[in-house]
Amino acid sequence: MKIMVINGPNLNMLGLREPSIYGNETYAALEKLIHETCAAEGIEVTVMQSNHEGAIIDAIQSALGNYDGIVINPAAFTHTSIAILDALKAVALPAVEVHISDITKREPFRQISYAGLACVKTIAGEGFDGYRQAILFLKKNRRD
Ligand code: CA2
């Protein structure tokens, strides 16, 4: 099984600011957790982060025919990007939306998720462990 993990804008700043919301751990630590989880589960993984909406759309499109599922934290683009929603719909791969914080308990503008409309599951407020849960969910619900 092969999955793509896509992280949106500013997630590369994790651990450097706002530890009360996103914790003290760095983006490098998040990548390590994802690689370790996938290695333990026998899953091949590509992890990417971009601050650019178009690069995220290109990554989603490139998953078609090459990956079995997507884990995506579109970060702030979650709440604004119909283009990312359309890309997820276009590839129609099983996708799980992850948010480190609980977006349902934050500002009203964070409670709207466009990307989530094309995802089979949303995991929010579980910290970095949400990525591990998303990977396990994709493995368990793998389409053959
Ligand atoms: O909770 C999440 O994972 C978010 O997707 C994170 C986004 C935010 O815009 C979403 O509403 C929820 C923010 C990404 C990282 O932002 C940082 C801001 C300051 C310091 C470090 C990271």
Side-chain angles (χ1 to χ4, degrees):
M1 177 172 202
K2 212 170 155 189
I3 65 168
M4 183 178 282
V5 179
I6 300 172
N7 285 303
N10 298 309
L11 284 163
N12 56 316
M13 301 292 281
L14 283 171
L16 307 179
R17 300 265 188 287
E18 300 203 67
S20 60
I21 302 174
Y22 302 115
N24 287 305
E25 297 247 71
T26 62
Y27 182 72
L30 175 60
E31 280 200 330
K32 187 166 178 274
L33 172 95
I34 294 165
H35 284 293
E36 285 174 356
T37 302
C38 289
E41 297 295 329
I43 297 169
E44 274 185 68
V45 67
T46 300
V47 188
M48 69 87 75
Q49 185 275 331
S50 180
N51 295 323
H52 304 278
E53 189 174 12
I56 291 168
I57 292 161
D58 288 344
I60 294 167
Q61 289 185 7
S62 76
L64 185 60
N66 297 308
Y67 290 83
D68 303 300
I70 295 173
V71 173
I72 185 164
N73 182 348
F77 291 146
T78 305
H79 320 298
T80 61
S81 180
I82 295 166
I84 290 175
L85 166 64
D86 285 346
L88 289 168
K89 283 187 169 173
V91 300
L93 287 166
V96 179
E97 174 189 24
V98 173
H99 297 286
I100 296 165
S101 65
D102 187 352
I103 54 171
T104 67
K105 300 212 167 73
R106 297 185 64 192
E107 303 95 323
F109 63 82
R110 291 190 206 273
Q111 296 179 22
I112 295 159
S113 171
Y114 292 107
L117 297 173
C119 291
V120 290
K121 188 175 174 67
T122 295
I123 299 167
E126 300 282 325
F128 284 11
D129 194 65
Y131 287 83
R132 191 187 61 82
Q133 293 175 35
I135 291 160
L136 297 181
F137 179 89
L138 283 177
K139 185 177 175 188
K140 196 172 170 199
N141 295 281
R142 184 186 175 162
R143 286 188 205 147
D144 286 309

